[in-house]
Amino acid sequence: MRLHLLLLLSLCGAGPTAAALSFSLRGNWSICNGNGSLELPGAVPGCVHSALFQQGLIQDSYYRFNDLNYRWVSLDNWTYSKEFKIPFEISKWQKVNLVLEGVDTVSKILFNKVTIGETDNMFNRYSFDITNVIRDVNSIELRFQSAVLYAAQQSKAHTRYWVPPDCPPLVQKGECHVNFVRKEQCSFSWDWGPSFPTQGIWKDVRIEAYNICHLNYFTFSPIYDKSAQEWNLEIESTFDVVSSKPVGGQVIIAIPKLQTQQMYNIELQPGRRIVELFVNISKNITVETWWPHGHGNQTGYNMTVLFELDGGLNIEKSAKVYFRTVELIEEPIKGSPGLSFYFKINGFPIFLKGSNWIPADSFQDRVTSELLQRLLQSVVDANMNTLRVWGGGIYEQDEFYELCDELGIMVWQDFMFACALYPTDQGFLDSVRAEVAYQIKRLKSHPSIIIWSGNNENEAALMMNWYHINFTDRPTYIKDYVTLYVKNIRELVLAGDKSRPFITSSPTNGAETVAEGWVSQNPNSNYFGDVHFYDYISDCWNWKVFPKARFASEYGYQSWPSFSTLEKVSSTEDWSFNSKFSLHRQHHADGNKQMLHQAGLHFKLPQSTDPLRTFKDTIYLTQVMQAQCVKTETEFYLRSRSEIVDQQGHTMGALYWQLNDIWQAPSWASLEYGGKWKMLHYFAQNFFAPLLPVGFENENVFYIYGVSDLHLDYKMTLTVRVHTWSFLEPVCSRVTEHFVMKAGEAVCLYEEPVSEMLRRCGNCTRESCVVSFYLSADHKLQSPANYHFLSSLKEAMGLCKAQITGASLNPTLCSQIYREEIPNPKKVTSVSKALASLSALVLEQQYLGLPWQPPGLAGRSCVNLVPVAALGRFLEQLGGHHLSAR
Ligand code: BMA
């Protein structure tokens, strides 16, 4: 065993002793099951499932039906233990704490056989005083209780009234009563995820020893003073002062690039002390603000805070400070009842474009930096600017938010409550209060987080009566709801963080919900707040089915992940759409049928005589369907930005459900487990582009809207081309007069009755022709080329078999990419990035002969090949088409 001894803070001046020591307890522990029949080594941070897998005692938990085979793991009560020697003289330290950054979840902790504390919340950070129990040689034990058994016990003990739901729907094959335990709610199963209620020490654990005083935490928020037009920085530090006398000293705060240096005298009385400092940034200095991706730079400033305390005790902290303001604007809109719901960043209205984030794995120890980077890079590569960290998962690790800060990804941060009613007895509330206070402190200095939201869908669950509660009992539940989200969580947010807004739920009616006593009759109203919208039965090519809401924070369609992803967790007999495996992995009732229904509305369903071919084609077709559906819906929200039609509109947000996958299964995600792009993600890169022409029909008239997400007006033209399916050259083409595409607006640029367009373009019929259009200036493309289908593709006429060839500078890499067997994940990221920026435009290049070269990709003809191949497959699926790329 290697001992990690970290000298955290050294004594400044002459003295040889340190002021604080940190001794890590990461690494190898011993894990034992309830009856002692299984004993194995396990890593910390980690969990029991991972330890069993590493020891070869279980297979990959994601393989085939192992979620059911390994239920026993989470139903057992495991113990983590470790013996260790302290490599420093313990008697020299006034105070020694055991600090646990994350315990999953219910445990009793013994230190040298003495119970020092208990845990019941995986989202909390725990610190226990072990000064009196620590010796040179020590033992530590965390005796876990199965979270599943604990949740059942808690629910049983709640005898006064029922707190639904009891169990997830059967199709999810999950565990019950997750609302009774403060643990990742989706770890008991979800409609896209397996049930793996893990146990273990999932974050850092260490021993901290100190004299005189210790900085327990440090946090800050930049606040803009509107009236004085200047920035201030509020810095909060909490100390544990163990000296019997007050500790005096100075604090020096420096932000060199802002020419800011300020000094304060402080005196810390014995006990737990909070020091609040207020730093003013001079008006004479230009502060560059932080902007979301696509709207400006993510400028940050290095700051150091040095506490020089009595006795030569120096404590230094450094951090990056970002300056930005965020406002949630809820104000009357002309021509529409209700209120707006949109965000202003640095005073500038911003359309939130993006998706919803779920945990990247059931086993957090498998979520590496590389994975987070790959997933978040894919977010900005697809022109998104926002992720909603959804309330059924976890408050993500620090690195997630650091990356969001750096990449300019705005985060809508839910508190971790989802799709359930929750108890409010004192023990539960105390645990939640500690969790919320801790998470606010941990996260509030991140500029990326632009809003806190109390929960996912719980206002809707209550008011739309998902659990069939008797009307007369409703007041009890409303009271609980207000107690939890308003009187506790909201109160803690207001006290702890002034730098961003808070809403109680999603969907919610915002100010209207508040006015109605924190629960609205219809929290999903189009006139207020945000909406969640799902409809798998109506034809998704018909935009009339979508709500013209203020903000769409959830909507989407399922698809299957690619065969190469599924192949890793399945065997030959699983490879058909109706196999036991395919049904098992589908956690959304009728999901597989719904996908085929939706695809069947416009595409020919695969009918090969080769069953494996049929399976692969079906998977592929579900991705085509999903991409096209989410495109149509998103484009509807984007073009609803500047208008009110039938009293509805001014949409300012489109966050589709969901970005990523937790395992290899059908879901609403655009990124597969591990990060591979589904077709939807390539489409997203286009439909979220800063400038986009959107085509649609209304009453047989074809319209094109121009959607700008830019800060400046641009002069440009719109080209509208009609092609027959059977020939590469357009049959007719029209270029508009120059017009000014206004910054931040969606306006109608073009309208023409379909019958006229068909007549104008030779012998076109709806079935034989297709429309494409793009924005350009000085013969350069300014937008992705978009298209509009005039008929279902299954009715399209003139399609022929695709024959795709391509030239490559690096044939090995290209063929690897095409076969999806890339050995080096680094290459995948860069190539997929490149692919993303090309996507359909490469096809357009073939069609339109426009000189379009994606930035930074000159000479990399390999990447040109792949999207053409991918699109070729797309066209082939539609019926076939001749395409050749050189
Ligand atoms: C909403 C989400 C998730 C769910 C999704 C798809 O309810 O908040 O709970 O996974 O829809 O059903």
Side-chain angles (χ1 to χ4, degrees):
M1 183 183 68
R2 250 188 75 211
L3 297 178
H4 302 274
L5 179 63
L6 182 70
L7 195 66
L8 257 193
L9 315 161
S10 63
L11 194 74
C12 234
T17 39
L21 282 175
S22 173
F23 175 65
S24 175
L25 293 178
R26 281 171 168 259
N28 247 339
W29 286 53
S30 172
I31 303 180
C32 181
N33 69 343
N35 65 13
S37 59
L38 258 177
E39 210 178 321
L40 62 149
V44 167
C47 65
V48 175
H49 287 89
S50 296
L52 289 166
F53 176 65
Q54 272 141 24
Q55 291 307 308
L57 294 169
I58 60 171
Q59 292 175 312
D60 175 6
S61 294
Y62 283 175
Y63 186 68
R64 300 194 77 207
F65 307 92
N66 281 346
D67 53 325
L68 298 185
N69 297 337
Y70 299 155
R71 259 192 89 197
W72 61 270
V73 178
S74 29
L75 295 178
D76 208 336
N77 304 317
W78 297 81
T79 294
Y80 271 65
S81 61
K82 184 182 183 78
E83 294 193 350
F84 58 96
K85 237 178 119 173
I86 289 283
F88 51 86
E89 216 177 304
I90 217 67
S91 60
K92 293 220 164 114
W93 299 94
Q94 283 174 283
K95 181 93 173 255
V96 187
N97 288 334
L98 173 70
V99 179
L100 297 131
E101 296 285 347
V103 180
D104 176 17
T105 292
V106 186
S107 81
K108 189 183 197 181
I109 306 177
L110 286 87
F111 203 91
N112 292 334
K113 310 249 180 287
V114 179
T115 304
I116 55 160
E118 290 182 350
T119 67
D120 62 7
N121 188 329
M122 82 177 280
F123 307 124
N124 207 347
R125 172 189 193 266
Y126 290 91
S127 176
F128 301 106
D129 186 349
I130 51 168
T131 319
N132 297 327
V133 286
I134 193 163
R135 297 189 293 257
D136 290 341
V137 179
N138 300 281
S139 71
I140 180 172
E141 238 179 59
L142 271 79
R143 292 188 189 160
F144 286 93
Q145 182 188 2
S146 154
V148 178
L149 303 181
Y150 171 85
Q153 259 177 20
Q154 295 295 308
S155 146
K156 207 168 160 205
H158 196 283
T159 47
R160 282 176 302 131
Y161 54 91
W162 181 52
V163 186
D166 284 333
C167 301
L170 283 179
V171 65
Q172 287 179 207
K173 301 149 204 97
E175 302 295 350
C176 303
H177 307 296
V178 71
N179 48 345
F180 278 90
V181 56
R182 292 310 297 142
K183 178 172 169 64
E184 177 182 308
Q185 298 289 282
C186 67
S187 68
F188 277 40
S189 85
W190 214 262
D191 58 2
W192 36 256
S195 173
F196 282 112
T198 45
Q199 267 177 61
I201 304 172
W202 72 297
K203 292 199 173 189
D204 191 38
V205 50
R206 61 185 180 272
I207 287 170
E208 285 181 357
Y210 49 93
N211 291 328
I212 313 172
C213 80
H214 184 247
L215 179 62
N216 281 352
Y217 81 81
F218 166 84
T219 184
F220 57 90
S221 35
I223 307 280
Y224 187 65
D225 182 336
K226 243 186 180 168
S227 54
Q229 299 193 346
E230 60 187 17
W231 284 99
N232 295 303
L233 200 54
E234 284 181 13
I235 303 177
E236 190 183 314
S237 318
T238 299
F239 288 91
D240 182 20
V241 183
V242 287
S243 145
S244 55
K245 288 186 288 199
V247 181
Q250 291 178 337
V251 194
I252 303 151
I253 299 161
I255 311 175
K257 281 236 163 105
L258 292 177
Q259 295 156 43
T260 302
Q261 169 132 356
Q262 282 182 32
M263 206 174 84
Y264 303 82
N265 291 324
I266 55 168
E267 188 171 75
L268 303 168
Q269 299 298 321
R272 219 178 103 91
R273 295 294 147 197
I274 298 178
V275 176
E276 277 171 342
L277 301 168
F278 204 68
V279 180
N280 175 260
I281 314 288
S282 162
K283 239 181 171 161
N284 304 328
I285 294 156
T286 313
V287 175
E288 265 188 53
T289 46
W290 178 92
W291 285 95
H293 174 67
H295 291 274
N297 298 332
Q298 289 75 48
T299 311
Y301 296 92
N302 291 330
M303 169 177 77
T304 54
V305 178
L306 176 65
F307 296 88
E308 287 184 348
L309 302 175
D310 291 349
L313 174 60
N314 281 6
I315 302 172
E316 189 174 294
K317 281 269 157 193
S318 46
K320 198 142 209 173
V321 187
Y322 298 88
F323 298 85
R324 63 106 184 86
T325 60
V326 52
E327 295 156 274
L328 175 59
I329 309 293
E330 293 179 272
E331 59 190 17
I333 298 175
K334 214 172 141 227
S336 175
L339 297 171
S340 67
F341 188 88
Y342 70 93
F343 292 86
K344 274 189 181 172
I345 304 290
N346 304 324
F348 189 87
I350 291 196
F351 193 107
L352 269 55
K353 305 192 287 195
S355 187
N356 284 268
W357 172 272
I358 63 157
D361 206 299
S362 297
F363 312 103
Q364 278 299 313
D365 48 290
R366 297 207 294 209
V367 181
T368 58
S369 290
E370 292 73 45
L371 178 62
L372 283 181
Q373 268 163 29
R374 195 180 319 153
L375 295 172
L376 295 175
Q377 187 62 46
S378 294
V379 169
V380 288
D381 286 348
N383 287 315
M384 300 180 180
N385 60 29
T386 307
L387 284 181
R388 168 167 172 254
V389 175
W390 165 78
I394 57 168
Y395 305 94
E396 278 297 330
Q397 42 177 303
D398 292 342
E399 196 176 355
F400 173 91
Y401 300 97
E402 283 156 17
L403 284 165
C404 288
D405 294 346
E406 284 162 21
L407 293 167
I409 302 170
M410 293 180 279
V411 173
W412 168 315
Q413 180 68 49
D414 281 2
F415 286 98
M416 294 301 132
F417 302 86
C419 301
L421 304 183
Y422 285 85
T424 58
D425 41 280
Q426 205 49 49
F428 189 84
L429 284 181
D430 289 346
S431 187
V432 168
R433 286 187 69 90
E435 157 194 336
V436 169
Y438 165 62
Q439 294 297 343
I440 292 172
K441 271 182 225 156
R442 180 172 76 95
L443 300 178
K444 76 173 186 179
S445 57
H446 292 285
S448 51
I449 301 176
I450 57 153
I451 189 167
W452 295 108
S453 171
N455 63 66
N456 174 71
E457 297 186 345
N458 297 351
E459 184 183 345
L462 187 54
M463 300 311 282
M464 319 297 256
N465 206 9
W466 289 4
Y467 309 118
H468 312 289
I469 288 166
N470 281 339
F471 192 72
T472 47
D473 295 335
R474 193 183 271 187
T476 307
Y477 296 94
I478 294 183
K479 190 163 168 271
D480 274 357
Y481 183 91
V482 174
T483 301
L484 183 57
Y485 305 110
V486 182
K487 295 193 177 150
N488 283 279
I489 296 181
R490 178 172 175 271
E491 181 205 287
L492 287 162
V493 173
L494 295 186
D497 183 10
K498 291 184 224 32
S499 60
R500 50 184 64 82
F502 171 85
I503 50 173
T504 39
S505 188
S506 173
T508 186
N509 288 347
E512 172 63 15
T513 284
V514 181
E516 288 181 44
W518 302 103
V519 280
S520 252
Q521 283 312 312
N522 168 22
N524 216 26
S525 162
N526 283 353
Y527 300 109
F528 297 97
D530 63 328
V531 303
H532 293 187
F533 178 80
Y534 295 95
D535 177 352
Y536 312 113
I537 304 305
S538 308
D539 177 1
C540 78
W541 285 26
N542 174 13
W543 55 269
K544 292 188 177 171
V545 305
F546 306 128
K548 211 167 174 83
R550 306 291 191 224
F551 193 113
S553 50
E554 272 192 28
Y555 58 95
Y557 295 83
Q558 280 201 332
S559 73
W560 273 79
S562 54
F563 182 73
S564 65
T565 295
L566 288 172
E567 200 181 12
K568 298 188 182 103
V569 288
S570 56
S571 78
T572 333
E573 69 258 46
D574 301 328
W575 298 341
S576 70
F577 204 67
N578 294 319
S579 69
K580 211 176 131 207
F581 172 81
S582 296
L583 292 174
H584 175 76
R585 300 298 261 216
Q586 174 56 271
H587 279 198
H588 164 65
D590 289 332
N592 290 350
K593 276 196 206 130
Q594 286 165 355
M595 280 184 261
L596 293 187
H597 158 75
Q598 193 59 245
L601 294 176
H602 300 289
F603 303 95
K604 290 177 188 160
L605 297 183
Q607 278 177 339
S608 169
T609 45
D610 169 4
L612 184 58
R613 184 75 260 153
T614 302
F615 183 50
K616 288 181 178 176
D617 287 352
T618 308
I619 288 173
Y620 179 70
L621 197 63
T622 65
Q623 289 201 19
V624 175
M625 173 278 292
Q626 179 199 32
Q628 185 66 26
C629 285
V630 177
K631 171 185 190 285
T632 316
E633 186 163 359
T634 308
E635 289 184 347
F636 171 72
Y637 297 133
L638 291 165
R639 72 172 161 85
S640 299
R641 168 177 189 151
S642 312
E643 67 181 15
I644 293 292
V645 177
D646 295 335
Q647 302 196 323
Q648 300 184 348
H650 272 225
T651 309
M652 281 299 278
L655 309 178
Y656 66 75
W657 186 266
Q658 67 204 73
L659 178 80
N660 54 326
D661 259 337
I662 198 167
W663 74 333
Q664 308 88 339
S667 84
W668 295 254
S670 62
L671 297 177
E672 299 180 5
Y673 174 72
K676 186 178 171 190
W677 290 29
K678 282 182 177 173
M679 186 168 288
L680 170 57
H681 211 79
Y682 291 93
F683 272 45
Q685 187 182 48
N686 278 352
F687 62 63
F688 282 141
L691 267 180
L692 181 75
V694 172
F696 66 99
E697 276 181 50
N698 192 15
E699 314 285 336
N700 286 317
V701 179
F702 174 60
Y703 295 87
I704 298 173
Y705 272 41
V707 182
S708 165
D709 211 12
L710 303 173
H711 289 211
L712 294 174
D713 297 351
Y714 284 97
K715 207 168 143 191
M716 55 188 65
T717 57
L718 169 75
T719 304
V720 185
R721 297 186 170 196
V722 178
H723 316 255
T724 57
W725 285 113
S726 54
F727 198 61
L728 283 177
E729 293 303 311
V731 284
C732 60
S733 171
R734 213 178 227 188
V735 184
T736 64
E737 295 287 307
H738 279 93
F739 56 88
V740 173
M741 188 65 235
K742 287 273 217 182
E745 283 199 7
V747 288
C748 185
L749 300 176
Y750 188 87
E751 83 174 78
E752 186 179 16
V754 175
S755 54
E756 235 172 85
M757 183 163 66
L758 295 177
R759 207 172 316 126
R760 184 165 64 77
C761 298
N763 292 325
C764 264
T765 62
R766 278 186 171 274
E767 290 73 28
S768 66
C769 290
V770 59
V771 194
S772 83
F773 40 92
Y774 57 90
L775 297 166
S776 58
D778 302 329
H779 302 288
K780 281 206 195 88
L781 265 180
Q782 299 294 326
S783 73
N786 209 339
Y787 53 84
H788 174 69
F789 297 131
L790 294 161
S791 73
S792 282
L793 287 162
K794 64 181 178 186
E795 276 139 25
M797 285 164 63
L799 292 164
C800 32
K801 194 85 189 143
Q803 281 174 13
I804 296 146
T805 55
S808 160
L809 283 181
N810 181 345
T812 326
L813 179 60
C814 285
S815 65
Q816 279 171 346
I817 296 162
Y818 194 49
R819 296 204 319 269
E820 300 157 350
E821 288 167 11
I822 306 125
N824 177 354
K826 280 231 167 81
K827 278 191 186 147
V828 186
T829 325
S830 62
V831 171
S832 64
K833 226 196 300 183
L835 288 186
S837 44
L838 282 161
S839 90
L841 280 173
V842 173
L843 179 67
E844 282 305 319
Q845 212 175 335
Q846 310 301 317
Y847 267 130
L848 311 168
L850 270 172
W852 188 82
Q853 181 69 53
L857 289 176
R860 292 167 70 177
S861 60
C862 157
V863 295
N864 283 333
L865 166 70
V866 185
V868 173
L871 278 154
R873 282 168 71 200
F874 176 47
L875 289 175
E876 193 178 6
Q877 196 67 49
L878 309 180
H881 194 81
H882 271 291
L883 234 185
S884 79
R886 280 246 109 226

